[in-house]
Amino acid sequence: MPQQPNPDELFRQLVCQTCRYPRKSLERRKGLNKLIQAIIKSDRLWRENTPYYEDALQQTWLYLCRNLCEADTAKEKYNPERSRVTTWLDRYLRRRLQDFEISEWERNKIEISLPIADSENQNDPIDNLPAPSDIPNMLDVIRDWAETDSDGELRNIHIKGRSELTCQLLILRRLPPETDWKSLSEEFNCSISTLANFYQRQCLPRLRRFGESQGYL
């Protein structure tokens, strides 16, 4: 009975075989699927029990498909001389998990801090207390900061090849009452993953820094 190759050797073989085929070909898709299944079976990727792990994992598989043989969304394609394919994917997966963690933290902070009216909270007596007249509404301050964009940073940072999809636009559209990702995707003909990834990488850190500078976070 022939000896089975160890997982790392199997991965190298599958990567080499897969990348021989043209992109978008049936053979390439089959090769990518075999590689993904082999990696799943090996149980060598980072795992953690978080509600957003599966979303981060799906983004990781997409990253693999787009950047294994050619660099579509990364600066360079996967280089087997530098690292194992599982090490390469682990780094990306951990970054996405960190993005989701930051996004969750930001969302919870904003939900706690901002006076968002909804049917569940309308009868909360705290909501009926008048705010001091000399303290600006936090949401208004954030919106004014994004709209004014005094240094032009938010207007100048945009999704690659889509100059209209700026940090400024997405921050404003995602402020309460936020526009959902599906509606934004349809409006701008841009995938939800592209919009959400850009928001997590470029918009949230700037929103967080502003919130910290104002003492909101």
Side-chain angles (χ1 to χ4, degrees), residues 89-141:
L89 291 174
D90 254 351
R91 286 196 295 265
Y92 183 84
L93 175 59
R94 287 172 185 255
R95 289 198 298 269
R96 298 292 73 78
L97 287 168
Q98 187 178 48
D99 287 343
F100 277 109
E101 183 178 1
I102 292 172
S103 178
E104 184 74 12
W105 181 79
E106 292 288 352
R107 184 163 54 250
N108 289 339
K109 282 288 185 180
I110 291 175
E111 286 176 354
I112 291 171
S113 302
L114 293 178
I116 304 172
D118 57 44
S119 57
E120 294 180 357
N121 295 325
Q122 282 177 351
N123 296 323
D124 191 332
I126 295 177
D127 290 341
N128 297 322
L129 294 176
S133 58
D134 59 340
I135 300 178
N137 181 289
M138 184 188 302
L139 182 56
D140 290 340
V141 173

Side-chain angles (χ1 to χ4, degrees), residues 183-197:
S183 297
L184 288 171
S185 174
E186 293 173 351
E187 180 179 349
F188 294 103
N189 192 26
C190 185
S191 70
I192 292 176
S193 61
T194 297
L195 291 168
N197 285 340

Side-chain angles (χ1 to χ4, degrees), residues 198-216:
F198 177 80
Y199 187 80
Q200 290 165 10
R201 288 184 294 104
Q202 300 292 351
C203 302
L204 279 180
R206 290 171 172 83
L207 184 59
R208 181 175 66 251
R209 285 198 296 270
F210 176 74
E212 289 172 346
S213 73
Q214 300 299 307
Y216 297 152

Side-chain angles (χ1 to χ4, degrees), residues 3-169:
Q3 184 177 1
Q4 295 294 321
N6 66 50
D8 290 328
E9 180 60 31
L10 175 61
F11 298 155
R12 283 194 290 270
Q13 292 176 6
L14 289 172
V15 169
C16 182
Q17 294 169 5
T18 299
C19 292
R20 288 175 183 167
Y21 299 113
R23 68 165 71 199
K24 297 185 179 181
S25 66
L26 177 60
E27 292 82 3
R28 170 75 71 86
R29 292 199 297 272
K30 288 181 178 179
L32 289 168
N33 186 59
K34 286 182 180 179
L35 176 60
I36 290 172
Q37 293 304 318
I39 292 173
I40 293 174
K41 187 177 180 180
S42 75
D43 200 28
R44 288 196 173 192
L45 277 187
W46 174 261
R47 294 194 63 84
E48 62 180 55
N49 186 24
T50 53
Y52 39 76
Y53 178 82
E54 288 301 324
D55 290 332
L57 183 62
Q58 289 305 311
Q59 291 186 13
T60 302
W61 295 137
L62 184 60
Y63 178 79
L64 166 68
C65 294
R66 291 180 171 177
N67 299 287
L68 181 72
C69 308
E70 301 89 16
D72 281 349
T73 61
K75 292 182 179 178
E76 58 182 358
K77 67 178 182 178
Y78 167 63
N79 186 342
E81 301 301 320
R82 292 185 182 177
S83 66
R84 298 169 178 167
V85 68
T86 48
T87 303
W88 176 63
L89 291 174
D90 254 351
R91 286 196 295 265
Y92 183 84
L93 175 59
R94 287 172 185 255
R95 289 198 298 269
R96 298 292 73 78
L97 287 168
Q98 187 178 48
D99 287 343
F100 277 109
E101 183 178 1
I102 292 172
S103 178
E104 184 74 12
W105 181 79
E106 292 288 352
R107 184 163 54 250
N108 289 339
K109 282 288 185 180
I110 291 175
E111 286 176 354
I112 291 171
S113 302
L114 293 178
I116 304 172
D118 57 44
S119 57
E120 294 180 357
N121 295 325
Q122 282 177 351
N123 296 323
D124 191 332
I126 295 177
D127 290 341
N128 297 322
L129 294 176
S133 58
D134 59 340
I135 300 178
N137 181 289
M138 184 188 302
L139 182 56
D140 290 340
V141 173
I142 295 173
R143 180 174 287 108
D144 182 66
W145 161 75
E147 289 176 344
T148 304
D149 188 24
S150 57
D151 59 3
E153 180 183 23
L154 301 180
R155 291 190 297 271
N156 290 327
I157 297 174
H158 58 79
I159 293 175
K160 185 177 181 181
R162 298 294 301 273
S163 59
E164 77 279 17
L165 293 177
T166 63
C167 275
Q168 182 185 48
L169 181 143

